[in-house]
Structures are given as structure tokens and as C-alpha cells.
């Protein structure tokens, strides 16, 4: 197996450094990427929004708090009230270098209309976070996030899963969870969340990926009195696949991920690894 892997990867000797790895910053403002679906039998469109912020403990935890405040409301408004589709969700996630607020809707309505509903929700409810969220609501969300962060693993697989992110990114930041808990307990506040929304979230770059079905079934008619607004001035629009990928790759700002591989002698390794007992 090792020989086959080495042959397939064309490795003649151990590498001194891993291939370059990097993550791209989203372009400023809003971007819309329109693509056709690849399954002709699927009668649904899909709209996927991703809002990007640099990865810090503060940004990651405040985005998770924001998700606690807005996630259930997003489902209630777009799924239960507006009935835009069966799959409707909002959440937060992080990569090696960035944190994201994400929203996903699978729908039979025209995707431009659904995107406008996501925008309308964010406009209304981000303003509501700044002006109307109470201290009691914030405390409930804070307690819920702390409960998740402090939850003890039940299996070795769960425990290892918590650390694989830091091994993969080669940061070995195994104390990050503790720092996240400390931040949420001691530093996060309703005022810091409001400021975060006003200064960071509202100004963060976002990208919408719209996948249009190729199925012949007609879209659902818009609700009575509803319409699809014109795209905002300055909206960046992409409409190709491979060409867009190549163009973006050549013009984007890329943030490098650590790829150094330094050989360690047995004597050097002994300094970091205690003797077996």
C-alpha cells in the first residue's frame, strides 16, 4: 500500500514541506454565483449563503452566540411561516482561518426570490439584535453555548474529533476550547454582541451560491402580493463554473496555512515526549 501511494503521488523521498495550502478571502461586498444543477431528476433549486470573518476566538464564539439568537427564528420565518422549502437552516462554522455564518434553503420557488427572503431576514433581524434583544434572551443563549462547550465527550472517537481540527491545521492549539469557554463566560456580553453585529457582521463579505434546477417542472408561484426585487447595485455576479474558479484563484487574496515539515531527531523528540512508564 505504501509503495502504491508513493508511486501515485510521485514521491521519491520524504517531503521537506507540504504542498502549499491556503484559504481565500471572499471579495468585499456581496457576490452571487449562479450555477445549473447536475441532477436532471431533482425538482429543487438551492440557495447557500456564506458570510466570512477572520478566525479568532472572539469572532467564532460571537458568531455561535448570534446563531443561538437567530437560528431558530430563521427556521420559523423562512420554513414555517413563508414555507420556502423543506430544508431551511442557519448555522455557524469555522475553517482553518475563517469563521462563517451560513444559511441554506432548498426550494421549489425561484432562487432569486428565495435569496431576497434571506437578505430581508438578515436586514430585519440583525437590526433586531442591535436594538431589541433582551439581557434575558442573551443569557439564555450564552448558557446554551456554554453547555455545548462544556459537554464531556462520551467516546474516544468524540474526544479525538475535537482535536483533529488542530492537528489538520498544524496549530496543535489543544487549549482553544478552554479559551473559548473563558471568553463566553467572562468576556462575551450583550453589548459586545451588538457591537460585533454592527461593526463586523454587517460589513463582512458574503457569497450566495445559487444552484438552479435543470428539471422541467415549473417553479412554484410566488405568494400573493410577493415579488422578486431588483438586485442591489454593486452585486458581483458569477455565471460560469471552471472559468470562475480559475479567475477567482488568480485574483483572490490567499491566506497561507502552515505547511512546514521539520525533521526531528530522536534526541529532539525526547524533549517533547515524556518517557513511557
Amino acid at each position: 500500500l505504501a509503495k502504491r501511494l508513493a508511486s501515485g503521488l510521485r514521491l521519491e523521498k520524504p517531503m521537506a514541506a507540504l504542498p502549499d495550502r491556503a484559504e481565500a478571502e471572499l471579495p468585499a461586498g456581496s457576490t452571487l454565483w449562479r450555477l445549473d444543477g447536475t441532477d436532471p431528476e431533482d425538482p429543487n433549486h438551492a440557495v447557500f449563503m456564506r458570510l466570512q470573518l477572520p478566525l479568532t476566538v472572539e469572532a467564532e464564539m460571537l458568531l455561535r452566540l448570534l446563531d443561538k439568537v437567530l437560528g431558530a427564528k430563521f427556521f420559523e420565518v423562512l420554513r414555517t411561516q413563508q414555507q420556502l422549502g423543506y430544508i431551511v437552516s442557519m448555522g455557524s462554522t469555522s475553517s482553518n482561518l475563517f469563521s462563517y455564518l451560513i444559511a441554506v434553503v432548498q426550494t421549489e420557488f425561484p432562487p432569486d426570490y428565495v435569496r431576497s427572503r434571506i437578505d430581508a431576514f438578515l436586514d430585519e433581524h440583525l437590526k433586531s439584535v442591535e436594538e431589541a434583544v433582551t439581557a434575558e434572551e442573551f443569557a439564555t443563549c450564552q448558557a446554551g453555548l456554554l453547555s455545548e462547550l462544556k459537554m464531556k465527550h462520551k467516546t474516544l472517537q468524540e474526544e479525538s474529533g475535537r482535536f483533529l481540527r488542530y492537528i489538520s491545521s498544524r496549530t496543535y492549539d489543544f487549549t482553544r476550547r478552554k479559551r473559548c469557554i473563558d471568553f463566553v463566560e467572562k468576556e462575551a456580553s450583550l453589548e459586545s454582541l451588538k457591537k460585533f453585529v454592527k461593526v463586523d457582521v454587517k460589513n463582512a463579505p458574503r457569497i450566495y451560491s445559487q444552484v438552479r434546477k435543470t428539471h422541467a417542472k415549473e417553479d412554484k408561484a410566488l405568494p400573493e402580493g410577493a415579488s422578486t426585487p431588483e438586485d442591489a447595485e454593486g452585486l458581483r455576479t458569477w455565471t460560469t463554473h471552471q472559468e470562475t474558479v480559475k479567475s477567482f484563484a488568480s485574483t483572490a487574496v490567499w491566506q497561507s496555512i502552515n505547511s512546514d515539515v521539520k525533521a526531528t531527531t530522536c534526541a529532539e523528540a525526547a524533549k517533547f515526549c515524556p518517557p513511557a512508564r
Side-chain angles (χ1 to χ4, degrees):
L1 177 59
K3 289 182 178 179
R4 289 185 179 182
L5 286 173
S7 175
L9 295 172
R10 299 179 182 178
L11 295 174
E12 299 178 358
K13 60 182 179 180
M15 294 186 295
L18 295 174
D20 289 339
R21 295 191 303 164
E23 290 188 46
E25 297 179 11
L26 290 179
S30 294
T31 302
L32 169 61
W33 192 5
R34 289 189 172 107
L35 292 168
D36 288 335
T38 57
D39 183 356
E41 302 302 318
D42 191 342
N44 297 289
H45 307 293
V47 183
F48 177 33
M49 184 217 72
R50 191 179 310 186
L51 182 150
Q52 184 189 67
L53 289 166
L55 178 63
T56 64
V57 167
E58 178 180 8
E60 184 178 12
M61 292 301 102
L62 288 176
L63 271 182
R64 289 184 66 172
L65 284 169
L66 183 62
D67 174 40
K68 291 290 182 188
V69 175
L70 296 184
K73 296 175 183 177
F74 185 80
F75 183 88
E76 170 67 20
V77 172
L78 273 69
R79 172 69 173 87
T80 306
Q81 296 178 16
Q82 300 181 18
Q83 299 184 12
L84 294 183
Y86 183 74
I87 297 175
V88 176
S89 67
M90 172 174 281
S92 65
T93 188
S94 294
S95 61
N96 287 324
L97 298 177
F98 297 99
S99 288
Y100 296 92
L101 182 69
I102 60 175
V104 180
V105 179
Q106 182 192 61
T107 184
E108 293 183 65
F109 286 101
D112 285 335
Y113 171 72
V114 173
R115 172 169 51 87
S116 75
R117 295 297 83 211
I118 296 175
D119 276 338
F121 175 90
L122 290 174
D123 289 343
E124 177 183 351
H125 287 82
L126 289 178
K127 183 178 181 181
S128 177
V129 171
E130 292 183 69
E131 300 176 355
V133 171
T134 65
E136 291 76 15
E137 185 178 358
F138 175 82
T140 299
C141 295
Q142 183 182 35
L145 178 55
L146 281 171
S147 177
E148 291 178 4
L149 291 170
K150 292 181 176 181
M151 185 179 296
K152 295 186 180 297
H153 59 270
K154 297 180 177 63
T155 66
L156 183 61
Q157 184 177 8
E158 284 184 10
E159 183 181 19
S160 63
R162 290 179 175 178
F163 298 120
L164 285 177
R165 167 184 170 186
Y166 310 118
I167 296 172
S168 175
S169 65
R170 303 177 67 82
T171 62
Y172 308 111
D173 189 5
F174 301 131
T175 63
R176 186 179 181 89
R177 191 180 191 86
K178 175 64 167 58
R179 299 202 310 280
C180 289
I181 291 171
D182 288 344
F183 174 82
V184 176
E185 281 187 326
K186 302 172 183 178
E187 299 182 49
S189 66
L190 178 55
E191 289 306 312
S192 66
L193 180 62
K194 290 180 177 180
K195 180 179 179 181
F196 175 69
V197 168
K198 181 177 182 179
V199 176
D200 297 302
V201 175
K202 285 188 171 181
N203 295 309
R206 68 176 71 169
I207 184 170
Y208 283 94
S209 300
Q210 282 186 192
V211 179
R212 173 174 284 279
K213 69 183 182 187
T214 55
H215 195 284
K217 182 180 178 181
E218 291 188 3
D219 292 341
K220 282 188 175 181
L222 300 187
E224 185 177 355
S227 63
T228 302
E230 294 291 328
D231 287 334
E233 185 177 352
L235 177 69
R236 182 184 299 102
T237 303
W238 298 336
T239 57
T240 60
H241 186 193
Q242 296 297 335
E243 295 86 348
T244 294
V245 171
K246 291 178 181 178
S247 175
F248 177 74
S250 65
T251 59
V253 176
W254 292 89
Q255 300 291 343
S256 296
I257 301 172
N258 176 31
S259 61
D260 289 342
V261 182
K262 297 181 179 178
T264 304
T265 66
C266 293
E268 291 172 332
K271 297 178 182 178
F272 301 98
C273 301
R277 294 183 179 179

